[in-house]
Amino acid sequence: MQSDRESEAPRAAETAGLLRAIPAVGRLLEAPVWEGLRRELGARLVADLLREEIERVRDAVSGGRLGAGRFEAETRPERLAERVAARARSLARPSPRAVVNATGVVAHTNLGRSVLSEEAARRVAEGAAAYVDLEYDVARGGRGSRQSHLDPLLERLFPGQAALVVNNNASAILLALRALARGREVLVSRGELVEIGGGFRVPEILSASGAKLREVGTTNRTRLEDYESALGSRTGAILKVHTSNFRIVGFAEETSVAELAGLARRSGLPLVVDWGSGDLVDLAPLGIRDEVPVSRILAEGADLVTFSGDKLLGGPQAGLAVGRADLVARRRRDPLARAVRVDRLRVAALRETLWAYVRDRAAAEVPTLRMLTLTAEQIGARAERVRRYVAERTGLADRIAIVDGVSRTGGGSSPLGEIPTRLIEVSSPDTDAAPLERALRAGEPPVVARVQEGRLLLDLRTVLPSQDGVLAERLSEVLLRR
């Protein structure tokens, strides 16, 4: 014990001495090394970053991680300037930045879901760099409506229905329940009380809207009579929810939209369907049979359908509500509608996306649909070209192969849907592909792939054709280093 105290005393004295020796920020900034950084970054940012670096030094000394042997080198103005410059470069780097999505998940929630079409991206850029007639009627010379840019196209896609566009689908369903059932009960199947990414929970959305949740049925089986027995004088609406990224299989039963629509009509209640993924076309020919187009949900009798603009629809983040004109009008009058409205950039992007659907050009022009409609043979041909390039450049042909696999729609849609694809498979000498995956993410641009059973897998379904060469170069670089 005595020796421990004796050894601690010199360390404490050294630490105290080093803390006193840390140079003041003002004195450090007098060194000529800061002149160029001040011109580039501005005096205030340089001073702020330097203070933060000095605090890091102080913490390192106090924590015993920086001793006398390295202290002088770490506190030299030149060394501190290097660190300040590095942190400034990190701040200046564009963010969010483009990545190569080689996961095969088309509407990848963590990677921004949908890629806009070239025309939609162009219109966004134009709308961002100039004044636009967002809420101005040029012909009349007076105030207009931002919804007027979208209504003509939505009316063609959904004849006889009205529509309102807000900033996302959570807002769309929140506004619908608030406008139609605030203070009253909403009937929801227990099997549809889901939580999806980002903590979106149906019960919490109901609570936030001011409506009261009335659960019906059981987790795996909910019949029409369950809804009928729950009806009462306090019932304000019936809600059916897209179960997003999960399905109950086996001993399960759910009530169809058509059955609920009949009950809603007999009861004089609105049937609201939260259809999440926003599918506007029939994807069954692609093997995606658990996603039904919004138009079919309306045809089956739903009074109001809410869905996303950036999942299977393939546009910007937005929430659309389509249905009976009187119900949509009530939503438009709600004060919350202004708080969740879309801005001019989303209006521009969504309009161009919808225009592709109106002209039956979505499969060719909207990247999400274009990716979904690619055949395994088409993807395999591209994958083979990448494989050949990487094999020739690295001499590691024995580690790179083309294998069968599946892609997924993503974005909380079609959890059971699998689309056949062809994958680039890269094996690792030590049967651990995780270091390869990390190296691909660490480069510029980052490449996001997946690891399965010790193999690195890359799916070109979600790689833009213009990125094939970039992917081949990045993969080659990583393999040559390992």
Side-chain angles (χ1 to χ4, degrees):
M1 293 291 292
Q2 182 68 28
S3 61
D4 288 343
R5 285 195 295 270
E6 289 174 352
S7 63
E8 287 173 4
R11 285 200 297 267
E14 178 184 284
T15 297
L18 292 177
L19 289 173
R20 287 193 299 271
I22 293 175
V25 171
R27 183 160 61 83
L28 283 168
L29 286 172
E30 294 173 358
V33 71
W34 301 102
E35 292 179 6
L37 285 175
R38 275 195 290 262
R39 285 194 301 270
E40 179 185 352
L41 304 174
R44 186 176 66 177
L45 179 57
V46 168
D48 287 346
L49 291 174
L50 177 57
R51 287 190 189 95
E52 292 167 13
E53 286 302 318
I54 290 298
E55 277 305 307
R56 289 171 189 264
V57 170
R58 193 181 308 280
D59 289 344
V61 170
S62 300
R65 300 185 303 278
L66 179 62
R70 291 173 38 232
F71 179 82
E72 184 177 352
E74 292 297 315
T75 55
R76 290 173 57 244
E78 292 78 10
R79 176 60 175 155
L80 292 167
E82 289 176 6
R83 291 185 175 178
V84 166
R87 293 193 59 206
R89 285 194 297 271
S90 178
L91 285 173
R93 186 174 63 189
S95 182
R97 55 180 168 157
V99 304
V100 177
N101 176 13
T103 66
V105 179
V106 177
H108 198 305
T109 298
N110 297 334
L111 299 182
R113 288 188 179 153
S114 298
V115 177
L116 294 178
S117 68
E118 292 181 5
E119 187 61 22
R122 185 181 67 81
R123 291 288 293 113
V124 168
E126 289 178 353
Y131 290 108
V132 296
D133 58 344
L134 179 64
E135 290 186 347
Y136 183 76
D137 188 323
V138 175
R140 290 191 307 106
R143 186 176 180 86
S145 166
R146 64 186 64 198
Q147 186 73 28
S148 67
H149 303 283
L150 304 170
D151 280 342
L153 302 182
L154 289 167
E155 288 167 3
R156 291 184 177 276
L157 291 169
F158 305 103
Q161 308 286 351
L164 178 66
V165 179
V166 292
N167 61 357
N168 60 35
N169 188 50
S171 295
I173 189 63
L174 173 67
L175 189 58
L177 295 172
R178 174 184 161 91
L180 305 181
R182 183 167 37 173
R184 306 184 71 188
E185 292 182 348
V186 176
L187 308 187
V188 190
S189 166
R190 285 188 172 90
E192 297 172 1
L193 296 176
V194 298
E195 175 182 340
I196 61 174
F200 176 99
R201 290 183 170 187
V202 170
E204 292 173 0
I205 291 293
L206 272 160
S207 177
S209 73
K212 302 180 185 301
L213 170 65
R214 178 68 183 274
E215 300 178 20
V216 301
T218 63
T219 302
N220 61 317
R221 306 197 88 180
T222 304
R223 303 179 179 86
L224 183 62
E225 51 262 36
D226 294 319
Y227 290 91
E228 291 174 328
S229 63
L231 288 170
S233 60
R234 299 287 298 164
T235 307
I238 299 173
L239 174 64
K240 185 169 181 61
V241 180
H242 188 296
T243 51
S244 188
N245 47 12
F246 93 102
R247 286 289 185 274
I248 298 174
V249 297
F251 190 65
E253 181 180 350
E254 67 174 302
T255 308
S256 70
V257 171
E259 290 174 311
L260 289 176
L263 177 62
R265 283 193 299 272
R266 294 192 298 272
S267 308
L269 297 169
L271 171 60
V272 180
V273 178
D274 170 17
W275 206 237
S277 59
D279 181 13
L280 298 192
V281 298
D282 187 3
L283 299 176
L286 305 178
I288 305 171
R289 296 181 175 81
D290 51 350
E291 292 293 337
V292 178
V294 173
S295 58
R296 191 180 305 170
I297 302 295
L298 289 165
E300 290 176 357
D303 296 301
L304 194 70
V305 182
T306 70
F307 53 97
S308 296
D310 60 342
K311 293 184 179 179
L312 293 184
L313 197 154
Q317 178 175 301
L320 293 84
V322 179
R324 279 172 36 191
D326 61 320
L327 302 184
V328 172
R330 287 166 64 180
R331 296 175 79 252
R332 290 188 181 190
R333 290 194 297 269
D334 193 297
L336 185 63
R338 180 177 178 83
V340 296
R341 64 183 180 174
V342 284
D343 68 354
R344 60 180 177 173
L345 304 185
R346 296 191 207 190
V347 169
L350 183 58
R351 189 192 185 285
E352 291 307 318
T353 305
L354 296 174
W355 178 231
Y357 281 95
V358 168
R359 294 181 293 117
D360 291 326
R361 293 286 300 162
E365 296 181 7
V366 177
T368 295
L369 287 188
R370 192 165 62 227
M371 291 175 187
L372 290 173
T373 55
L374 287 172
T375 66
E377 289 73 23
Q378 290 171 317
I379 296 170
R382 289 170 55 197
E384 176 58 26
R385 287 194 290 272
V386 172
R387 187 202 68 79
R388 279 201 307 267
Y389 177 91
V390 175
E392 291 172 3
R393 184 172 173 200
T394 65
L396 299 172
D398 59 323
R399 290 178 52 189
I400 311 167
I402 307 297
V403 299
D404 292 332
V406 295
S407 309
R408 298 193 179 277
T409 57
S413 61
S414 187
L416 302 180
E418 296 181 343
I419 310 171
T421 191
R422 299 281 283 164
L423 304 169
I424 299 175
E425 176 190 88
V426 183
S427 58
S428 178
D430 55 5
T431 69
D432 181 10
L436 294 175
E437 188 270 341
R438 288 195 296 269
L440 283 172
R441 279 190 287 111
E444 189 62 44
V447 175
V448 184
R450 66 182 197 254
V451 173
Q452 184 176 320
E453 298 176 354
R455 302 167 301 155
L456 180 73
L457 300 176
L458 303 103
D459 189 347
L460 269 67
R461 182 181 297 280
T462 49
V463 176
L464 303 177
S466 61
Q467 295 176 326
D468 284 3
V470 174
L471 174 62
E473 288 290 346
R474 289 295 329 285
L475 186 55
S476 299
E477 292 168 6
V478 168
L479 290 176
L480 285 170
R481 291 200 302 266
R482 294 180 179 274

